[in-house]
Amino acid sequence: MMDQELEWSSWMRAGNAGDNAAYARLLASLTPMLRGLARRNLTRTRLEFDLEDVVQETLLAIHLKRHTWEETRPFGPWVRAIIRHKLVDAARRRGFRIEVPINDFTDVLAAPTPNPERSVGSVERYLDELPTRQKDVVRALTLDGATIRETASRLRTSEGNVRVALHRGLAALAARIRRFET
Amino acid sequence: MRTEDLIRALADDSASRPEPVARCFVTLALAGVLAAACVFTLILTPRPDLSVAIATPRVMFKLVVALILIGAAGSLALRAMRPEAQSSLLSTLVPVLALLGVGVAAELIGLPPAAWRQLLIGSNALACVTLLPLLSLLPLGTILSALRYGAPSQPRLAGATAGLLAGGIGAALYALHCPDDSPLFVAVWYGLSITVVTALGAALGARWLRW
């Protein structure tokens, strides 16, 4: 686990310094662990959870709060704290109180990934509630797999505007998710 | 949406290098102090004998207790910005309450019981419990804003910490105006006012500091 954490730390640091590929690698590497933890902690509730929704909400939270990680501190406790918070939050919003033990992370086997073939998922559904510009940009960059440059030319605007719309759109998505309760 | 699609967009959202939490917190906390000081100058005046009174032990005691509260609550609030930080409100309160306890004890021992009641009532307790929280409101707002930028793992507790800090700021400012110097008065009426601000902070934190 320590080696894994050191690797994550270095990717996070690289991401902070501008290496987008390292940051993407970090998020992809965290994903199987997130799936395993979501499965372990949420299926106990015997409620139908779309686990992949929770995984995506957690990745979004890790992204939006990444500035709260201080590079001099260990990465593991930080990311685990965020994951715990989001798992509890995901359960609470669906009407459940759960507790995630701090030590729950030590032997999570990476869930064998098949990323479930999914139809829509809640993150995509909330997209529709965003203001038009943000919705178009986030849609283009996620569902359509476009780059920032391609999106800028498709929407006839500058790359700078696209970046701003993406940034705001992601924050707005998180706010929508927060407000939604089943 | 597939998770790898989301990850790609998250990686694209890296243009803005986000501000470090400590700098954001200090900036907003100072802005709160400034705002409270402005409110002070608008609605209150410093006590006329301030230059003399400030050298007396009892007034210095008031200010020292307020400053210790600000320091302890401030460092706790800053810690609360990080999701992995463990927070103990008690460890913040113990030194303040201990100091206050010493002051109160010294007062009660040093003066006859007949005098206690008057010291406790003071000249205007009502002014204290309305004006001190009033002075604390803008700092509470700015400090809660700072905490929103962070990732507090316990929103209600973080809000309470913000309330304690804001209350301490309000107390320090109010002490410049307030003519009642008895530790007994301070413990009860400043204590009550700060508790009100803390409770308000907790209530607001529970709603605003979720992420």
Side-chain angles (χ1 to χ4, degrees):
Chain A
M1 193 60 168
M2 268 315 290
D3 291 332
Q4 180 72 285
E5 284 187 22
L6 287 174
E7 196 172 40
W8 286 337
S9 274
S10 73
W11 285 340
M12 185 71 160
R13 240 176 265 121
N16 284 345
D19 183 353
N20 291 1
Y23 183 57
R25 222 177 303 135
L26 168 67
L27 295 178
S29 174
L30 288 170
T31 300
M33 181 181 77
L34 291 182
R35 284 201 190 108
L37 288 167
R39 174 169 307 132
R40 182 195 286 187
N41 284 286
L42 296 177
T43 48
R44 278 188 216 142
T45 66
R46 274 174 262 129
L47 180 70
E48 270 300 310
F49 273 91
D50 186 339
L51 294 178
E52 202 65 10
D53 275 350
V54 176
V55 169
Q56 292 184 0
E57 289 169 19
T58 308
L59 284 169
L60 187 56
I62 290 172
H63 175 72
L64 291 173
K65 294 298 182 185
R66 67 199 186 285
H67 55 273
T68 63
W69 178 61
E70 288 172 33
E71 298 191 359
T72 51
R73 294 187 188 268
F75 184 78
W78 176 82
V79 78
R80 289 197 286 277
I82 299 215
I83 295 169
R84 285 178 68 217
H85 188 92
K86 292 311 288 182
L87 287 178
V88 169
D89 189 52
R92 185 189 51 79
R93 277 185 285 109
R94 292 159 174 86
F96 274 86
R97 281 181 64 97
I98 65 167
E99 291 201 8
V100 179
I102 295 185
N103 300 324
D104 194 33
F105 297 67
T106 49
D107 61 348
V108 171
L109 298 171
T113 305
N115 184 350
E117 261 323 302
R118 51 206 336 252
S119 44
V120 175
S122 63
V123 170
E124 188 180 332
R125 248 177 268 121
Y126 292 131
L127 258 188
D128 288 330
E129 301 177 30
L130 258 43
T132 314
R133 170 52 59 90
Q134 294 171 11
K135 173 172 43 172
D136 290 342
V137 165
V138 177
R139 217 169 241 290
L141 288 162
T142 54
L143 298 170
D144 302 340
T147 64
I148 300 233
R149 181 169 306 169
E150 289 163 4
T151 307
S153 80
R154 189 196 307 180
L155 298 176
R156 300 184 204 291
T157 184
S158 70
E159 287 189 25
N161 283 346
V162 169
R163 289 185 194 280
V164 168
L166 172 62
H167 191 68
R168 290 193 188 146
L170 290 173
L173 261 182
R176 288 289 186 296
I177 292 168
R178 235 187 346 260
R179 276 207 284 282
F180 176 74
E181 309 218 3
T182 33
Chain B
M1 154 184 328
R2 297 178 313 162
T3 301
E4 50 259 42
D5 293 334
L6 178 64
I7 289 177
R8 194 179 330 112
L10 298 183
D12 279 338
D13 177 34
S14 58
S16 45
R17 177 91 179 84
E19 192 185 4
V21 286
R23 172 138 40 107
C24 171
F25 180 84
V26 170
T27 306
L28 284 170
L30 287 177
V33 171
L34 204 58
C38 288
V39 171
F40 181 89
T41 54
L42 285 174
I43 66 175
L44 289 173
T45 52
R47 54 192 289 181
D49 60 344
L50 184 60
S51 48
V52 170
I54 206 156
T56 63
R58 282 152 122 233
V59 175
M60 281 202 317
F61 177 79
K62 259 203 291 194
L63 288 170
V64 164
V65 171
L67 290 174
I68 290 179
L69 178 61
I70 289 173
S75 77
L76 193 63
L78 183 55
R79 278 168 62 86
M81 303 274 273
R82 295 184 290 115
E84 76 269 37
Q86 306 281 33
S87 288
S88 168
L89 210 53
L90 216 53
S91 65
T92 307
L93 290 175
V94 161
V96 176
L97 293 175
L99 191 57
L100 210 46
V102 165
V104 170
E107 178 94 327
L108 295 178
I109 291 170
L111 291 169
W116 295 354
R117 189 161 170 274
Q118 189 46 47
L119 288 171
L120 182 60
I121 293 174
S123 60
N124 201 343
L126 186 62
C128 177
V129 297
T130 46
L131 293 171
L132 197 160
L134 193 65
L135 287 172
S136 307
L137 281 183
L138 288 175
L140 182 60
T142 64
I143 293 158
L144 285 173
S145 301
L147 286 170
R148 268 176 77 87
Y149 182 67
S153 55
Q154 293 165 275
R156 192 181 301 265
L157 184 62
T161 307
L164 263 182
L165 177 55
I169 293 170
L173 282 170
Y174 189 73
L176 299 176
H177 162 87
C178 163
D180 293 298
D181 301 334
S182 159
L184 202 53
F185 184 92
V186 170
V188 171
W189 302 111
Y190 282 52
L192 181 61
S193 307
I194 293 174
T195 303
V196 165
V197 180
T198 302
L200 179 62
L204 292 174
R207 296 191 55 201
W208 288 355
L209 299 183
R210 289 170 45 198
W211 48 278

